[in-house]
Amino acid sequence: MQDNTATITLLYTSDVHGNALPILYGNNMPADIGLAKYATVVKQARSKHDHVIVLDNGDLIQGTPLMTHYVKEHANEENPMVGIMNKIGIEAGVVGNHEFNFGKKILTDAITQSTFPWLSANCLDEKTAEPYFGPPYKIIQLENDIKIAIVGVTTHYIPNWESPDHIEGIRFTDACITLKKWVEYIHQTEQPDVLIASYHGGLERDIESVEPTEALTGENQGYQMCEQINGIDVLLTGHQHRKLTGSIHDVLVVQPGFNGQSYGEITIDLKNSSDKWSICSKHASIQTLDGVESDTAIVNYMNKIESSTQQWLDQPIGYIEGDMVIRDPFQARLTKHSFIEFIHQVQMDAAGVDISVTSLLNNNSRGFSSVVTMRDIVSNYMYPNTLVVLRLTGNDIIAALEKSAAYFTLDEAGKIGVNPTYIEPKPQHYNYDMWEGINYTINVKQPIGSRIENVTYKGKPIDPNETYHVVLNNYRANGGGNYDMFKNKPIVKEIQKDTVEIISAYFARFPTVMATITNNFKVLY
């Protein structure tokens, strides 16, 4: 006679971003992060609980120097992030948007190497209209005839960010509409006792107030899913790098942070009545890896590639004369900084144009000291972006400048600061751009949309109808960050090397770089 109660423990990660070991590559300091520590958590959970399910919600294989080095030097070997997840024994993963960053071959190789399925019901093969990466859902049959369904979907906003050749042959359908179709299908055909939706996307509304937390572009649809789809018991989310738990229309919603710092733990209690299991309670929490010991087998597995990565990172490749250190990231955006000017120089040199767009990608970026190593480069430029030259009109340039000018705000005392929409619910400081090759003024005292003044090119006012060649990264060139004025603009040139390679190649030609500042923009407040 079977027991009439059961408890399912679900552990999941999201947005691990290549963090395998408990280390910060920028300074090699230890940290309570990474899959080596998480592997210990999973082992302990399986020793304590009868029914443990382990999932990953995407953005697994990109994000650290380890993975940049793997792609450059070790791509013919097993993907280390996949190798670790195989050893942990996860039941399924979901395709995230950053999975595409290194190109389709790296992703398809990773999926081939996996002992678990990668779920993404809305990433379709353009020819067959079938899910591109394999099954859209997985059924897990537990003891006592408990049936769990896990269905995965991916934010369909990927074509707005990704290089076209990285997603060639793949069609991204609306994640919410697709999930609704598959939830209905699974309930009709599989009749599961529990249905878990794993969505590499986030929440577009506040759980409590229901107020929009961002422009409703379709990038994040978690709230809409809970509102419009019947039959989801738990919605696992990610992409926004937030930590949250809550309930929307009786759907338990979770998001577990990022960079392998924490994980989601969900407990689902079931009871059996007349040979039918039903959920009587469900609870979610976010757990950190503080104080957890690393799994020795995982550390040993990583030894070879970690050693190779460290040697690569410590290579001195250039020298700086002058000051290129970032001490205050806000000031580096408020007034021209020599590090930003250096990035512009590199981009314009690689592209052969005289107008450049870039941003300070991260508030942890520290610029360059007198000796520059690969560690310094990847710490400051952590995304595998390539460069694109677009042909833009003067109107496009002014519209983009106005978009960037929204980054600043004034408080009641007139003190300048960062617009809260660039901080919550997810820090997006990388969406404030700075330009080289033109002169311009941002007047923060003016309303958003009317802040740009005195835009000139080679000493003359920019012509709204004239065209200009501008170099920028592929994320922005595709309209990433809601820079819609760049979408579908004529492409003059593509530089198909990632920016880390371009910067290191620049130092190979110019081993010593002077730190210079050209004050081509000012912010009035």
Side-chain angles (χ1 to χ4, degrees), residues 436-481:
E436 187 81 24
I438 60 173
N439 287 61
Y440 60 98
T441 298
I442 299 174
N443 189 344
V444 186
K445 292 181 180 179
Q446 297 300 318
I448 288 175
S450 304
R451 290 178 165 180
I452 298 302
E453 300 172 352
N454 306 322
V455 185
T456 62
Y457 172 68
K458 294 185 176 179
K460 296 180 181 180
I462 200 163
D463 186 333
N465 300 310
E466 184 61 67
T467 58
Y468 305 85
H469 290 180
V470 179
V471 61
L472 62 173
N473 68 50
N474 64 295
Y475 170 80
R476 189 70 82 236
N478 289 326

Side-chain angles (χ1 to χ4, degrees), residues 14 34 41 56 111 160 167 169 175 219 229 247-248 271 282 294 304 310 328 334 363 378 390 401 418 468 471 512 514:
S14 190
V41 169
D56 181 73
I111 292 172
N160 291 288
I167 55 175
E219 176 181 348
I229 304 174
S247 183
I248 305 171
K271 61 181 178 181
K282 48 190 175 180
S294 293
K304 180 182 174 184
Q310 291 293 345
D328 183 335
L334 193 63
N363 276 359
V378 297
L390 296 182
L401 289 167
V418 179
Y468 305 85
V471 61
T512 299
M514 296 292 296

Side-chain angles (χ1 to χ4, degrees), residues 62-65 68 72 312 339-340 342-344 346-347 357-362 364-368 374-387 472-476 497-503:
Q62 176 277 334
T64 54
T68 299
K72 290 179 184 302
W312 174 67
F339 175 77
I340 297 299
F342 169 75
I343 298 298
H344 284 306
V346 171
Q347 293 190 165
V357 182
T358 193
S359 60
L360 181 59
L361 298 177
N362 191 307
N364 293 322
S365 296
R366 290 295 174 258
F368 293 152
M374 285 301 302
R375 189 184 306 279
D376 298 318
I377 295 177
V378 297
S379 297
N380 284 280
Y381 214 105
M382 63 292 301
Y383 301 114
N385 293 331
T386 57
L387 297 179
L472 62 173
N473 68 50
N474 64 295
Y475 170 80
R476 189 70 82 236
K497 291 183 179 179
D498 75 43
T499 309
V500 167
E501 285 186 76
I502 295 171
I503 295 171

